[in-house]
Every structure is written in C-alpha cells, then in structure tokens.
Amino acid sequence: KQWYQRRVRVNYHGPLLVANLIEWYRDVQDMGVHFSEPHSFHEGCNIHITITTTKYSVDGLPLDCFVSICKTLAFSECFILQDGVNDLFVKTIELKRRDGVTSMIYEDNVPLDISFARTQALHRYHGDHYYNFPPCALSPAQCFTALGTFIQEHSRVPVTELSPIVFHSPTSYRPLFGNLPVLVALVQHETILAESSGFMKALQEVSVKFYKHIATSYVDVDRYPMWVHGMTPVAEKQPSEGSWVFQYPRVLVFELQNHKRAAFCRVVGKQLSGSELTRFVETFLHGTVMETCHGI
C-alpha cells in the first residue's frame, strides 16, 4: 500500500515567546503522525482508490492525474493500492467520511451521473448539487474536475475539530469551510471526551440544522490555551478571573476573510444550552454586529 500525503508549509503566528514556540513545535510534530493508518480520520475524509492496468481500463483515467487532485484537496488523504506496474489507471474511487458515511463515487465504465446518484448518504445534511457530467473516456480532465469538486463539496462533516496549526496553513481548513462563516465552540477537554456531554450533542444538532449556512467546529481549550486567549473581544481589556471570557464552553462566530472580527455569545458555561446556541446562530445570520477581537 502506498498513500500520497500533502506537503504543507507551516508558519508560526504569535509572539516570540519560548512557551508559545514549544507548544507550536509540539503541535507541528503531532501533525506528522496523523493518518499513520488508512482507518484514522483526523480531518474530514479519506479517499480510497483501486487501480487497474491499461488492459482492463475502459475510461482510461490516469492515476497520476488523480494523485495531483488529491494534493489539492488538503483536507483529504488518498490511499492507493498499487502493485508496481506502470501505466496504472483508476478503477474505483470511494469516499469515506469521518462520520461513518461511505460512498463509491466513481467506477470505471460507469457514467458519473449514475455514480453520483448512488451517493444519497452523503446528502444527509444538505440538498443535491448539480454538475456537468462529461464522458470520462472522452474528457478525463473535465471528469477529474467534476470528481474533485464533488469530493470538496461532500467532505465536510457537521462538526470539525479545529487546531491553530492546521487553521493557519492556507491550504487546509479554508477550502473545507468554503466561504461560510465559522462557528467555534471553545470546549474543555473533559467535555469533548464525555460521551454523555449535553453540550457536544447540542453542538451536533445545531451544526446539522445550520449546515448550509455556517461551518461548525470546536477547539480543545486545555490543549491550545494561548490560541483560545486570543478569541476574546478587544473591549475586554483586563477581564477579571471570573469574567465570562474565562468560562467554558463558550462560542463565537468569525469569517475566514477577517480573523480580527467576531460575534461573541455572552451566554457561557452550563447556561449555554442547545436553545441558546440556536438563538445565537440565528441572531448572527440575521445581522449581528461583529466586534474586534485579539485575533484567531
């Protein structure tokens, strides 16, 4: 088995302090061990590809071309079964999402419109998309474009884990979030791990309800305390120890185009219920005034 992983240049954003740099370097090292096995889903999805030789290929989609698409899909990983034979071609492409949804999105000699029509499980949270379906045997480039677009539009799970290292890599989460505003829940580690966590269940429900309008994510407060500290309004110049900005879980919404503007929910901690989350998102979508924050 051989799988092609993306190369991402990781930049440091923050004050030049020893503690910050050590935390950043530790997280960079952590990135190197993700996807050590094909079944691990740290991000949105994996792409599993089986290949064949020229003799058995009908459409004739070259493997090298699809590998190049995998490298541009920065939130995905492509796992390819390869036997060392030259002139290999794509036989099947299967999308496996972290939430357990699996769909065969391409099969050699099967028209794309038929393959895409079989992927209803991927449309659990949103409606169908519309694509141009070129005959793959006649137009491999357009076929790959349609496949790449389809993967990008169906890879986002309702709730995505967010980290500063991946977020500040330009080719990572930004293509996954698209142009949607991002709801960020700042959650303590024990809350994330608790299977009976009412807040995480409420976050899941809200993410499904507003899937078309907002991207939902969460940040582990205990793992990234310095980064979370920047997700506070500038107006809170010297918050006291009991201030709402130090109570969790709490949520905010920002837009990818401007990390220094955000909408903050003042209801925090145990009072932050599912109904409060829904009310906050609805208020934001109807035109909440954004505040200046320290930066994300």
Side-chain angles (χ1 to χ4, degrees), residues 178-252:
N179 294 319
L180 294 175
V182 182
L183 172 71
V184 182
L186 307 178
V187 191
Q188 291 175 310
H189 191 69
E190 59 184 17
T191 303
I192 297 172
L193 294 179
E195 294 183 2
S196 60
S197 170
F199 177 78
M200 295 303 289
K201 291 180 180 178
L203 187 67
Q204 174 77 15
E205 292 173 1
V206 168
S207 68
V208 171
K209 181 177 181 179
F210 297 100
Y211 186 89
K212 295 181 182 178
H213 308 289
I214 199 165
T216 305
S217 62
Y218 68 89
V219 175
D220 188 330
V221 172
D222 298 312
R223 188 175 185 188
Y224 305 110
M226 297 300 296
W227 193 41
V228 169
H229 181 73
M231 300 183 194
T232 55
V234 170
E236 298 282 339
K237 294 182 179 179
Q238 293 182 330
S240 62
E241 185 175 343
S243 171
W244 65 275
V245 302
F246 298 128
Q247 297 182 44
Y248 305 104
R250 66 179 174 91
V251 295
L252 64 146

Side-chain angles (χ1 to χ4, degrees), residues 167-181:
F167 177 77
H168 286 296
S169 300
T171 58
S172 280
Y173 275 103
R174 300 186 191 193
L176 179 58
F177 288 151
N179 294 319
L180 294 175

Side-chain angles (χ1 to χ4, degrees), residues 17-137:
L17 301 175
V18 174
N20 297 45
L21 288 169
I22 291 176
E23 180 180 347
W24 171 80
Y25 184 69
R26 181 197 65 192
D27 293 332
V28 170
Q29 289 180 313
D30 287 347
M31 289 178 65
V33 300
H34 293 321
F35 293 103
S36 58
E37 293 293 336
H39 61 266
S40 63
F41 291 83
H42 175 68
E43 298 174 355
C45 72
N46 290 339
I47 309 300
H48 290 240
I49 305 164
T50 58
I51 57 180
T52 184
T53 62
T54 309
K55 180 179 178 180
Y56 302 103
S57 175
V58 177
D59 290 339
L61 294 184
L63 175 64
D64 289 346
C65 291
F66 194 78
V67 170
S68 66
I69 288 182
C70 287
K71 292 178 180 178
T72 66
L73 297 172
F75 48 86
S76 305
E77 292 290 351
C78 298
F79 300 96
I80 301 171
L81 183 62
Q82 184 170 336
D83 59 6
V85 181
N86 294 326
D87 299 326
L88 297 175
F89 296 85
V90 178
K91 183 178 181 181
T92 64
I93 300 174
E94 187 177 31
L95 188 152
K96 296 188 176 184
R97 213 162 55 188
R98 192 184 61 200
D99 58 353
V101 174
T102 299
S103 286
M104 187 71 68
I105 63 175
Y106 170 81
E107 293 181 79
D108 187 40
N109 201 31
V110 176
L112 280 185
D113 55 344
I114 295 178
S115 295
F116 286 2
R118 298 171 179 171
T119 61
Q120 292 305 310
L122 294 173
H123 300 95
R124 182 185 301 173
Y125 312 113
H126 56 88
D128 294 339
H129 298 268
Y130 298 93
Y131 305 90
N132 293 320
F133 297 105
C136 290

